[in-house]
Amino acid sequence: MSPTPEPRLPLTGIRVLEFTHMVMGPTCGMVLADLGAEVIKVEPPGGDKTRELPGLGIGFFRSFNRNKKSVVIDIATEEGRATAAELAGECDVVLENFRPGLMAGFGLDYETLSQRFPRLIYVTHKGFMPGPYENRLALDEVVQMMGGLSYMTGPVGRPLRAGTSVNDIMGGMFGAIGVLAALREREFTGRGQEIQSALFENCVFLSSQHMQQFAMTGEAPPPMPSRVSAWSVYDVFTLADGEQLFIGAVSDKQFLTLCRVIEAPELAADPALATNTLRVGVRPALLEKLGAILQHHRVQALAPKLEAAGIPYAPIVRPDQLMDDPHLKASGGLVPMQTDDGSMTDVVLLPLRMDGRRPGVRRPLPKVGEHTEEILAGLPSRVPA
């Protein structure tokens, strides 16, 4: 019996040329690749330096470069630039995330390429969109500080970056969204366009709810650790053996249910705690009472009771513990991938289902230049007449 063919993915037939490194540009390319596009990653001689990052950057390349092909082209040379431009003409989309002006200096910017290839869609991932800041170099941490996110995350006087590359990842996602819209528009106009996605504007979008809070109240919102909660029970509690559990009881019914689950009838019967508004007014004292009760409960025993009762809760989970998360495995969101050194690792898929399935891993992580001969041999200048 012949094997069942893989189902056709939405971007099958779309070809993408990727000049990127680090996180933002590679994320955009990975989203498109997961959705079925043929994504050709251009690496310099010796390979993308992201492959060799230490410390917190060690997982970048594996996390954001699956389902791609690797081609080595030295765009610092005239021959390399000519090859790259010809390859761009064979593609629907070009992605780049280098410093401002670099691609223009190589003649590989949108303005130059679009004159030869008017159907080309070109995505630039930058620190800032056009304006006073546009020539600044930016990092995720830089724009988190500038865009309100670090202020809102840390305690008063101690701005704190988010614990992952939120703007890089979301910037790549917005780049991919722009590609999908541009492909649709090209069906009507026959022309491509330039798309810009930027870290700073992305971070400000994340902070927009706090900006509107100020616009509506006239008061600057306090950082999240110092915020006035809208709910009386919405906090992390320390249970037996030092284990921690977040519990959120966001309605009067949930508060009564929580009191029943933790066997605290005296709190349920207290008229001073009868409504959420009353409870918020005495929140510090209430949390102290709840903490004294919860310190005698164990997470393993309490969690299933909260789930059965419909009370929102969450254990405090480290990223390494997610490698064995039963829900991730059962939902198909954590799957094996062969790496560029031949070993296997589990990787996290895009957080969406399409027609009942998750866009998955279709090919091993590419070795440096693994597909150079395959891709360049198909260029018009190299095909024998």
Side-chain angles (χ1 to χ4, degrees):
M1 180 181 296
S2 60
T4 303
E6 290 189 3
R8 187 183 188 280
L9 291 166
L11 296 184
T12 298
I14 297 298
R15 207 176 201 205
V16 178
L17 187 60
E18 179 185 307
F19 299 93
T20 75
H21 63 155
M22 299 297 279
V23 176
M24 183 159 64
T27 296
C28 181
M30 185 191 70
V31 171
L32 300 174
D34 281 9
L35 295 177
E38 179 189 15
V39 177
I40 302 164
K41 183 178 185 68
V42 175
E43 301 192 56
D48 181 350
K49 289 182 173 55
T50 309
R51 290 178 181 265
E52 307 299 331
L53 286 176
L56 288 174
I58 195 170
F60 285 0
F61 194 85
R62 287 187 180 186
S63 297
F64 306 112
N65 287 285
R66 63 170 174 258
N67 289 330
K68 301 177 184 179
K69 297 178 179 180
S70 172
V71 170
V72 168
I73 302 175
D74 187 357
I75 61 174
T77 68
E78 186 175 346
E79 180 183 2
R81 292 191 291 273
T83 298
E86 184 180 9
L87 186 52
E90 299 294 304
C91 295
D92 298 280
V93 181
V94 169
L95 314 177
E96 69 93 7
N97 73 327
F98 292 102
R99 61 176 171 79
L102 180 69
M103 296 301 278
F106 289 148
L108 296 172
D109 57 314
Y110 175 71
E111 183 176 355
T112 303
L113 291 177
S114 63
Q115 292 177 15
R116 295 175 60 185
F117 315 116
R119 289 179 55 82
L120 189 66
I121 294 165
Y122 192 105
V123 187
T124 64
H125 299 84
K126 292 291 183 277
F128 306 90
M129 289 188 181
Y133 305 156
E134 65 182 292
N135 291 315
R136 290 191 192 179
L137 295 179
L139 301 168
D140 203 307
E141 195 148 343
V142 168
V143 300
Q144 287 194 36
M145 299 295 173
M146 293 179 66
L149 184 57
S150 295
Y151 174 83
M152 292 303 298
T153 301
V156 173
R158 292 171 54 198
L160 182 67
R161 71 155 285 162
T164 188
S165 305
V166 287
N167 293 292
D168 278 313
I169 294 169
M170 287 189 66
M173 292 166 58
F174 279 117
I177 292 169
V179 168
L180 300 179
L183 286 170
R184 177 62 170 158
E185 187 170 356
R186 192 176 69 175
E187 294 178 10
F188 300 102
T189 66
R191 297 188 61 84
Q193 61 182 281
E194 184 178 22
I195 296 161
Q196 296 180 327
S197 178
L199 293 173
F200 176 66
E201 281 75 9
N202 183 89
C203 193
V204 172
F205 184 75
L206 290 173
S207 297
S208 62
Q209 66 195 73
H210 304 305
M211 295 166 68
Q212 283 305 308
Q213 180 180 348
F214 167 73
M216 296 171 72
T217 65
E219 298 180 4
M224 294 295 276
S226 304
R227 69 193 185 276
V228 176
S229 177
W231 301 286
S232 55
V233 184
Y234 202 74
D235 217 318
V236 175
F237 297 91
T238 300
L239 278 63
D241 301 324
E243 293 182 295
Q244 291 185 304
L245 193 71
F246 171 84
I247 300 175
V250 297
S251 69
D252 294 339
K253 181 179 179 181
Q254 286 184 351
F255 177 72
L256 294 175
T257 302
L258 175 64
C259 292
R260 174 177 57 78
V261 169
I262 65 174
E263 300 177 2
E266 70 282 6
L267 297 182
D270 188 341
L273 305 176
T275 68
N276 182 66
T277 300
L278 290 172
R279 292 191 298 274
V280 168
V282 294
R283 188 169 186 265
L286 173 59
L287 293 181
E288 184 176 350
K289 291 177 182 178
L290 288 171
I293 295 168
L294 287 166
Q295 68 178 340
H296 300 293
H297 290 262
R298 297 183 182 278
V299 169
Q300 188 174 6
L302 182 59
K305 294 179 182 178
L306 293 172
E307 183 164 349
I311 300 295
Y313 75 96
I316 311 304
V317 177
R318 301 188 311 267
D320 61 283
Q321 295 171 314
L322 292 171
M323 298 298 282
D324 295 312
D325 186 275
H327 180 84
L328 281 177
K329 288 180 175 291
S331 67
L334 194 64
V335 300
M337 179 187 73
Q338 182 178 319
T339 72
D340 49 342
D341 64 11
S343 64
M344 299 297 295
T345 186
D346 285 344
V347 294
V348 179
L349 298 184
L350 296 184
L352 76 154
R353 287 168 62 90
M354 299 185 67
D355 200 21
R357 58 188 174 86
R358 302 284 289 267
V361 174
R362 305 192 311 281
R363 57 172 62 244
L365 194 69
K367 299 180 178 67
V368 177
E370 179 180 349
H371 305 94
T372 302
E373 184 177 348
E374 169 198 334
I375 298 299
L376 299 189
L379 291 179
S381 64
R382 304 196 184 191
V383 175

